[in-house]
Amino acid sequence: MNEISKTCWDIFHCKAYVRIDIIIYDGIAYVLELNTLLGLTKTSLIPKVQLRSV
């Protein structure tokens, strides 16, 4: 998973953070999507973490 995630990060030139959704089917990993705009709602973890660091 780490190798797949790192490859996706590099190919798509990700800069800050990204969630990579992967499914494993019959022993083969398939990348479903990369989400670079996660954490934009009040219930998301990223805003909560940022508030704690202030």
Side-chain angles (χ1 to χ4, degrees):
M1 292 302 149
N2 287 340
E3 186 175 327
I4 292 169
S5 299
K6 174 71 171 116
T7 300
C8 289
W9 180 276
D10 292 339
I11 288 172
F12 291 99
H13 306 285
C14 298
K15 301 294 181 200
Y17 59 88
V18 65
R19 185 188 74 220
I20 302 171
D21 295 343
I22 299 171
I23 190 170
I24 298 174
Y25 181 76
D26 285 340
I28 300 171
Y30 295 91
V31 175
L32 301 176
E33 69 174 342
L34 277 69
N35 188 336
T36 58
L37 296 176
L38 62 134
L40 297 179
T41 67
K42 291 180 182 180
T43 59
S44 298
L45 294 176
I46 291 176
K48 289 178 183 178
V49 170
Q50 288 176 337
L51 287 175
R52 288 185 194 153
S53 66
V54 175

